[in-house]
Amino acid sequence: MSNQPAAVSLERHASRKRKMRKSVREAIEFYCFVSPWFIIFILLGLIPLLYGLYLSFTNFTGFNSGHLRFVGFRNYDRIFTDSDSIYALGRTFFITAVNVPLGMILGFLIAVLLNNSVKGVGIFRTIFYLPSIIPAVAVGLLWRNLLAKGNGLINELLGHLGIPAVDWLGYDHATLSLIILLMWGSGGGLIIYLAGLKSVPKELYESAEIDGASAVQRFRGITIPLMTPVLFFNLIMGIIGSLQIFVQPIMLTQGTNGLLNTPLKPNYLYLVHAFQQIFAFQRYGYGLALLWLLFVIILVFTLVVFKTSRYWVHYEVDQEGR
């Protein structure tokens, strides 16, 4: 009888050791699975990023690696005295302010229409989603040919209606052409919208219909509130994508220098300006400073949207206790 407490103590000790070995084994397995991604991220992501940050504080021109000189915040100060960078930043904000809400409204309404169970809806979903999987360069070339003043398809159609040809790629309509091109790809968020719409319980619509709610009231009172997490996600991605528009305005530019073509002034966006500074003028240090400022701007916009999301995004679970 006197050996029983000792036996129980030994059993507890052995149990703790087994649990500890199991937790150590799980920790080792976790780090083994995570480490390949982590190592690649450090080598190909973090180190180049930090090196780029360092170069933004130097006089790096692409050919003077052996004679780098630290210039402090001179490259960053130059951004705010460079009228082209300020203008490009303003045009980028304007395009973002137009493109993001328009793209979200159009994409969401298309998804609502394609959420109905009608014959052949799968074909229409494919057609609307198709533009988003075509490379941006191909889309730009396609629209440049469609919008050409001389022999473009759109002007040909307008001619049949008795409407004179429009210089879509000219100064006056350059921004409108860019917005049209961007709207063509607004079906990119279709899959996410449809996934969100499918998750809305049908019982809510049936109950509201029994209570006499109209289709508009059901859409406003049920669909939109329950879709706000999806709208929140697409808003974040839309802002990030719009602030980084680069290829589309260049592809709408008529020239023979490829990506070094300079878009017309209304479509001269911030990332185009950074690309020009780096690859056309070999101002690598200044170009990297432009890109890091864009990173900070995107971060600020994202944080603002996250902070304000508590007032308009509705979750089905309590977010305070997560």
Side-chain angles (χ1 to χ4, degrees):
M1 292 293 290
S2 60
N3 291 332
Q4 280 186 350
V8 171
S9 176
L10 285 172
E11 180 61 28
R12 287 178 178 171
H13 182 67
S15 176
R16 280 199 296 270
K17 286 183 71 176
R18 283 196 297 273
K19 287 181 180 177
M20 189 176 297
R21 282 198 296 268
K22 184 181 177 183
S23 63
V24 170
R25 189 176 67 250
E26 288 176 347
I28 292 172
E29 290 173 352
F30 169 77
Y31 286 113
C32 285
F33 279 111
V34 167
S35 57
W37 177 88
F38 197 66
I39 292 170
I40 292 172
F41 169 72
I42 291 175
L43 293 178
L44 302 181
L46 188 60
I47 291 177
L49 274 174
L50 294 177
Y51 188 57
L53 179 62
Y54 161 69
L55 290 177
S56 71
F57 290 100
T58 68
N59 63 337
F60 185 47
T61 61
F63 303 101
N64 61 340
S65 301
H67 304 88
L68 288 180
R69 184 165 51 85
F70 186 73
V71 298
F73 285 94
R74 185 183 303 171
N75 288 326
Y76 290 89
D77 291 339
R78 185 177 178 178
I79 296 173
F80 299 100
T81 56
D82 179 359
S83 58
D84 285 339
S85 70
I86 298 299
Y87 176 83
L89 189 60
R91 293 304 297 175
T92 303
F93 286 155
F94 173 73
I95 294 292
T96 300
V98 175
N99 176 46
V100 173
L102 266 182
M104 286 185 65
I105 292 170
L106 192 59
F108 185 47
L109 292 179
I110 291 172
V112 170
L113 288 174
L114 295 178
N115 191 40
N116 294 311
S117 300
V118 296
K119 192 174 181 181
V121 70
I123 297 173
F124 288 103
R125 287 174 184 170
T126 305
I127 291 172
F128 279 106
Y129 188 71
L130 200 59
S132 63
I133 62 173
I134 299 175
V137 174
V139 172
L141 290 173
L142 170 70
W143 277 95
R144 188 169 72 187
N145 289 321
L146 288 174
L147 296 169
K149 185 177 181 182
N151 54 359
L153 179 62
I154 293 179
N155 276 329
E156 290 285 340
L157 293 174
L158 292 177
H160 287 297
L161 298 174
I163 301 174
V166 178
D167 188 9
W168 295 102
L169 303 177
Y171 187 92
D172 293 337
H173 300 92
T175 302
L176 176 61
S177 300
L178 180 60
I179 296 294
I180 292 172
L181 186 155
L182 295 173
M183 288 304 103
W184 194 62
S186 58
L190 188 64
I191 292 178
I192 299 173
Y193 282 129
L194 282 174
L197 289 168
K198 294 292 181 190
S199 67
V200 179
K202 286 186 170 53
E203 294 80 9
L204 294 178
Y205 291 113
E206 292 168 356
S207 300
E209 196 170 359
I210 291 171
D211 290 339
S214 65
V216 174
Q217 289 172 324
R218 294 198 296 273
F219 179 74
R220 195 177 56 192
I222 298 174
T223 306
I224 291 180
L226 293 182
M227 284 293 290
T228 48
V230 177
L231 294 170
F232 168 67
F233 173 78
N234 278 339
L235 176 61
I236 294 284
M237 300 309 293
I239 291 173
I240 293 173
S242 284
L243 290 174
Q244 297 184 78
I245 291 174
F246 166 64
V247 173
Q248 293 88 340
I250 293 177
M251 288 297 107
L252 289 179
T253 304
Q254 303 181 55
T256 58
N257 294 326
L259 291 177
L260 289 179
N261 283 331
T262 303
L264 293 174
K265 200 72 174 174
N267 285 349
Y268 192 71
L269 303 186
Y270 188 80
L271 212 53
V272 175
H273 181 62
F275 187 85
Q276 293 276 338
Q277 296 302 311
I278 293 173
F279 294 106
F281 302 108
Q282 281 78 50
R283 297 169 183 157
Y284 284 75
Y286 177 51
L288 287 167
L290 286 165
L291 296 178
W292 272 102
L293 179 64
L294 180 62
F295 171 77
V296 172
I297 291 170
I298 290 174
L299 189 64
V300 169
F301 272 97
T302 304
L303 288 175
V304 168
V305 175
F306 263 94
K307 285 291 183 184
T308 57
S309 66
R310 69 180 67 178
Y311 302 108
W312 61 277
V313 179
H314 304 280
Y315 294 101
E316 294 185 45
V317 294
D318 183 16
Q319 295 297 297
E320 297 296 330
R322 65 183 187 277

